[in-house]
Amino acid sequence: MNPQRDCKEFKVETRTITEVQSEPIYPTGRCGPVLARIPVVISQSKVHIDIESRVCFDHSVFDIYSHSRNIYLTQCKLLNMGNKRYGKIYLNGYVSENIAYAAYCMKGREYGNKKSTSADMLYKTLKVPFECVAKIEYCTSPVFKTSNGFIPVALPDKENSPEDSYFSGERLFCELDEASICESNVERKKLFSRINAGEDSFDTLTEYLVLSITFTLLQWQQVRIPGYFPNNPHSQI
């Protein structure tokens, strides 16, 4: 059979897009001074969290094909200690892990007169919780009506109740800027003896992870913006 006869010709339609010129439009606004309510950066910090987790499989595993992880924050609280320079942040969250692995769970099963010697591809999804507390330095002093208390912080992509978002009129919210995971070491052990399990198989995976999380803490504040005079080079917006 000639392979060229089986090749079908597909018709591809193309067109050329003409580039046009754009006209810049400069935004206009009122000159200061003005009083605005804007999100102000309270602190930008980076924390490192050490985690040790043990994953138990239901079958004898001999190979892991893929292992993906994502980091999620579920709770954030700021401890107001009455200090204008420092505070303590409490973070809670979890690492979502998706593991694709090959196991011997079907080995030795008979199909007619033959026995299967191939392994099965299985998937496992789990959540590894974590929590930490860290001392953060303020780049802008937060505005609090009370001291020595916890201030709830609203998180993005999460339903926050009104009392959490507007506690005593002090709205704080946290943005997750960057998150990375460093896997320092992995130990594979065979804790249970299974039938037809290979010598290199394992059913327990111990992980040692280091989470690096960069976050920004913001607060809605009323800020007075001074006036801007074009003829004065020393004036600032």
Side-chain angles (χ1 to χ4, degrees), residues 31-104:
C31 295
V34 64
L35 185 64
R37 184 170 178 81
I38 58 177
V40 177
V41 177
I42 300 299
S43 176
Q44 189 173 27
S45 307
K46 186 175 184 178
V47 295
H48 303 280
I49 308 172
D50 299 326
I51 297 180
E52 178 183 351
S53 65
R54 192 176 73 170
V55 182
C56 297
F57 297 92
D58 298 330
H59 311 284
S60 296
V61 181
F62 71 91
D63 193 12
I64 294 180
Y65 289 103
S66 63
H67 198 164
S68 61
R69 302 183 180 94
N70 293 311
I71 300 176
Y72 298 92
L73 290 179
T74 57
Q75 189 178 32
C76 179
K77 293 187 296 183
L78 177 66
L79 177 59
N80 177 24
M81 302 183 297
N83 194 319
K84 295 184 178 180
R85 294 186 56 190
Y86 300 98
K88 284 190 175 181
I89 195 77
Y90 290 76
L91 299 175
N92 294 76
Y94 64 91
V95 179
S96 177
E97 297 192 17
N98 299 313
I99 305 175
Y101 61 95
Y104 287 111

Side-chain angles (χ1 to χ4, degrees), residues 52-184:
E52 178 183 351
S53 65
R54 192 176 73 170
V55 182
C56 297
F57 297 92
D58 298 330
H59 311 284
S60 296
V61 181
F62 71 91
D63 193 12
I64 294 180
Y65 289 103
S66 63
H67 198 164
S68 61
R69 302 183 180 94
N70 293 311
I71 300 176
Y72 298 92
L73 290 179
T74 57
Q75 189 178 32
C76 179
K77 293 187 296 183
L78 177 66
L79 177 59
N80 177 24
M81 302 183 297
N83 194 319
K84 295 184 178 180
R85 294 186 56 190
Y86 300 98
K88 284 190 175 181
I89 195 77
Y90 290 76
L91 299 175
N92 294 76
Y94 64 91
V95 179
S96 177
E97 297 192 17
N98 299 313
I99 305 175
Y101 61 95
Y104 287 111
C105 58
M106 300 291 290
K107 186 176 181 181
R109 174 173 294 186
E110 294 186 0
Y111 295 91
N113 297 326
K114 298 181 179 180
K115 288 187 177 181
S116 174
T117 58
S118 61
D120 289 333
M121 174 69 73
L122 301 176
Y123 300 90
K124 189 177 184 67
T125 301
L126 63 148
K127 293 182 179 180
V128 180
F130 67 86
E131 61 179 352
C132 70
V133 56
K135 184 178 180 180
I136 60 174
E137 182 177 355
Y138 298 143
C139 58
T140 303
S141 298
V143 178
F144 295 131
K145 296 181 180 180
T146 59
S147 60
N148 298 327
F150 283 100
I151 307 299
V153 181
L155 294 172
D157 302 329
K158 182 178 180 295
E159 293 184 359
N160 299 276
S161 59
E163 55 269 18
D164 291 340
S165 301
Y166 300 95
F167 180 77
S168 301
E170 306 160 345
R171 186 179 184 186
L172 293 169
F173 54 100
C174 177
E175 291 186 352
L176 184 61
D177 300 328
E178 185 180 1
S180 62
I181 300 178
C182 178
E183 188 176 70
S184 59

